[in-house]
Amino acid sequence: MKQFIKKYWKTLLFFAIAGLVGGFCTGLYVLDSYPPQMQEEALSQGLTPTIMALVSAMQGAGYGVVLGAVGIWLGKKTGLWKDEMHFEKKSLLITLLVTIVGGLALILPDLLFFGRYNEAIMNSYAVKPTVPYIIGAILYGGVIEEVMLRLFWMSLLVFILWKLFARSKETPTTVILVASNIIAALLFAAGHLPATFMMIGSSPLILFRCFLLNGGFGLLFGYLYRKHGLRYSMLAHAGCHIVSKLIWILFI
């Protein structure tokens, strides 16, 4: 345990700081996404934006440290965790491609298709993203969500499926790696459903949109984690938010 902490304390500290700052910023604006009645109920119970921000910050830091530590251990066991100290040019180019395509894909489907059939989707773009919103999307989305869904859940799924179905193999099979990525991507999409339903309502179209977009991104981020390492899935996830928010601010 001492050796583990000595080797990875800087990584876990980074996860903790990202969780604190990203969680705090996310908590500041999350109340605004509630329907008016829920906002009034939350405020009447003393859940102000500041309190929600502090709770979200503690939660984010906890996820970063606890799930990060377990995820690194699982990642090392399954071969998913990579200890490289330097960025690889090829991996960065692939990450950049995913970032640009993903950033466009977060916006264009709404403008060209989904927004035509659901007015609430287009209404959600009426208010420009604030600085806390952008910081929360980059740090909580780009770092903590990757710690939770890729580093922890995907590694855990690989470990479990490996021990259940391919124990005789020295390393997890490709089928297990792909299956775990798909399951983690579906969990990633499902985790966005509550916030999506609160902001733009629920319908079969909204359900399809959430699983198509978030699930698709989850598969790409999982691919980057499996093939290149967690740092690249984090960069792509954060980068998608940066590109999409810039398009939102400048052109919508």
Side-chain angles (χ1 to χ4, degrees):
M1 179 61 75
K2 277 187 177 182
Q3 290 182 341
F4 182 89
I5 295 174
K6 184 178 180 180
K7 186 171 184 178
Y8 295 109
W9 72 269
K10 291 181 180 179
T11 301
L12 296 176
L13 179 62
F14 168 69
F15 293 164
I17 293 173
L20 278 172
V21 178
F24 186 84
C25 290
T26 299
L28 286 176
Y29 71 79
V30 71
L31 192 62
D32 293 334
S33 66
Y34 289 6
Q37 185 177 353
M38 290 184 65
Q39 288 187 31
E40 293 177 6
E41 184 177 345
L43 289 171
S44 67
Q45 295 177 357
L47 295 177
T48 64
T50 301
I51 291 176
M52 295 189 74
L54 291 172
V55 172
S56 182
M58 294 298 105
Q59 185 182 58
Y63 286 153
V65 173
V66 177
L67 298 186
V70 177
I72 292 172
W73 183 84
L74 288 168
K76 289 174 69 67
K77 289 289 185 181
T78 57
L80 285 169
W81 177 261
K82 296 171 177 58
D83 276 326
E84 290 92 340
M85 299 302 294
H86 304 288
F87 287 100
E88 297 292 335
K89 183 178 179 180
K90 180 181 177 182
S91 298
L92 281 175
L93 289 174
I94 294 173
T95 301
L96 179 62
L97 178 63
V98 172
T99 295
I100 295 172
V101 173
L104 292 171
L106 273 172
I107 295 289
L108 292 183
D110 283 346
L111 301 181
L112 300 177
F113 179 74
F114 292 111
R116 296 184 178 184
Y117 299 96
N118 190 299
E119 187 178 354
I121 291 176
M122 294 309 300
N123 290 340
S124 67
Y125 289 99
V127 179
K128 300 293 185 180
T130 62
V131 172
Y133 182 92
I134 295 172
I135 294 174
I138 292 172
L139 292 180
Y140 198 91
V143 177
I144 300 304
E145 286 185 1
E146 287 305 300
V147 168
M148 294 168 63
L149 272 300
R150 250 59 64 181
L151 181 58
F152 176 73
W153 275 111
M154 185 173 164
S155 300
L156 178 61
L157 288 166
V158 169
F159 185 79
I160 291 173
L161 294 178
W162 177 29
K163 295 304 180 183
L164 286 176
F165 301 110
R167 180 183 289 271
S168 60
K169 305 290 184 180
E170 291 186 5
T171 58
T173 64
T174 300
V175 172
I176 287 175
L177 293 169
V178 172
S180 299
N181 187 17
I182 292 172
I183 296 170
L186 291 174
L187 290 172
F188 179 63
H192 285 79
L193 286 175
T196 299
F197 287 167
M198 277 196 300
M199 288 189 292
I200 56 180
S202 61
S203 70
L205 180 69
I206 298 301
L207 187 67
F208 172 72
R209 171 183 176 269
C210 189
F211 275 94
L212 174 67
L213 297 182
N214 291 297
F217 288 124
L219 288 174
L220 288 174
F221 301 150
Y223 167 81
L224 288 173
Y225 171 49
R226 178 166 73 92
K227 288 289 189 178
H228 303 279
L230 184 71
R231 68 185 69 187
Y232 298 102
S233 69
M234 287 182 170
L235 283 174
H237 195 151
C240 285
H241 282 298
I242 293 172
V243 172
S244 64
K245 300 307 180 285
L246 285 175
I247 296 172
W248 184 355
I249 292 170
L250 297 175
F251 301 108
I252 301 179

